[in-house]
Amino acid sequence: LKLKIPNNYFELMNYFNNHSNGGRIAMLPQYTYWGWNYYSWGYGGSGFLWYGIQNPTLDRAFDGYRRENENYYWEISKAIYSNDINLFEKVLEKYQIEWLVLDRFVLGTSSTRNLYLDKIEHFLSDSKKMEIVERFDKIKVYKVDLNTNPKDFVFLAKDLPVVGPGYKWNNYDKA
């Protein structure tokens, strides 16, 4: 199978490789547990952007279908589908997500409604912590204004609260 990848994706790759600080990118929508997306231009699979973007991406293809690894997916899904902007922003802080990529080329396998794209866009526009910085046709790039300033994925925090009992996995991290 051979497909021509739309130029929008190469523009996106160039943007991140030339304008970002290497921060984490959350790919949206992340509507399926299985992590296989289908695109309006014919591709279906676990993804391809990480071949051309130096930044780490938070994507279902990398969390290994193991409960200890997939918390991000469950937490971001709960925030989006419950329309909880406060929780969404807390998930971005927890995982130090500096960028969001909303891709409208992604198709829903059963219905376009399960992608929640219009609600996600409205949701993102309501937040004071996110700003659209670039558009590539159906792909939008948002910059996230984090409270912390990670450098090389590390930051120093003081006076952290003690939280218990032990946390394993869930779709809501109370801490």
Side-chain angles (χ1 to χ4, degrees):
L1 176 66
K2 183 176 178 181
L3 292 170
K4 181 175 176 6
I5 298 173
N7 283 335
N8 306 105
Y9 290 101
F10 295 107
E11 293 170 0
L12 177 68
M13 291 174 195
N14 286 334
Y15 177 81
F16 277 110
N17 292 334
N18 293 319
H19 293 95
S20 79
N21 60 356
R24 287 184 185 93
I25 304 170
M27 310 305 287
L28 299 172
Q30 286 195 21
Y31 70 99
T32 174
Y33 171 79
W34 301 107
W36 283 70
N37 285 333
Y38 297 91
Y39 296 80
S40 59
W41 47 274
Y43 173 73
S46 63
F48 58 92
L49 281 172
W50 55 83
Y51 291 111
I53 295 177
Q54 61 192 5
N55 300 54
T57 58
L58 283 93
D59 202 306
R60 290 292 297 158
F62 296 109
D63 65 25
Y65 308 113
R66 186 172 166 87
R67 70 179 186 187
E68 289 83 0
N69 297 342
E70 61 189 35
N71 266 15
Y72 162 74
Y73 168 75
W74 294 113
E75 290 174 38
I76 204 78
S77 294
K78 178 177 176 57
I80 290 170
Y81 291 112
S82 63
N83 204 29
D84 188 337
I85 190 70
N86 187 45
L87 181 58
F88 184 80
E89 291 172 354
K90 286 180 180 180
V91 173
L92 298 179
E93 280 292 338
K94 176 181 178 180
Y95 291 97
Q96 298 295 287
I97 298 167
E98 297 182 52
W99 303 92
L100 302 170
V101 172
L102 181 62
D103 188 347
R104 283 189 165 267
F105 284 108
V106 175
L107 299 172
T109 54
S110 60
S111 167
T112 56
R113 290 178 57 198
N114 68 352
L115 295 176
Y116 218 63
L117 289 169
D118 290 334
K119 297 213 180 214
I120 291 172
E121 280 199 83
H122 181 72
F123 189 73
L124 297 177
S125 68
D126 282 351
S127 173
K128 304 226 184 309
K129 295 205 158 270
M130 288 157 261
E131 173 187 4
I132 294 177
V133 292
E134 193 60 73
R135 291 184 176 127
F136 305 102
D137 189 23
K138 293 182 175 186
I139 304 169
K140 292 182 180 177
V141 178
Y142 294 80
K143 179 73 173 113
V144 180
D145 181 22
L146 295 174
N147 292 333
T148 55
N149 293 312
K151 178 159 175 49
D152 298 324
F153 307 104
V154 176
F155 69 96
L156 185 61
K158 296 179 182 178
D159 302 321
L160 296 173
V162 176
V163 179
Y167 176 77
K168 293 193 184 240
W169 73 282
N170 199 331
N171 63 356
Y172 180 64
D173 181 355
K174 292 178 184 175

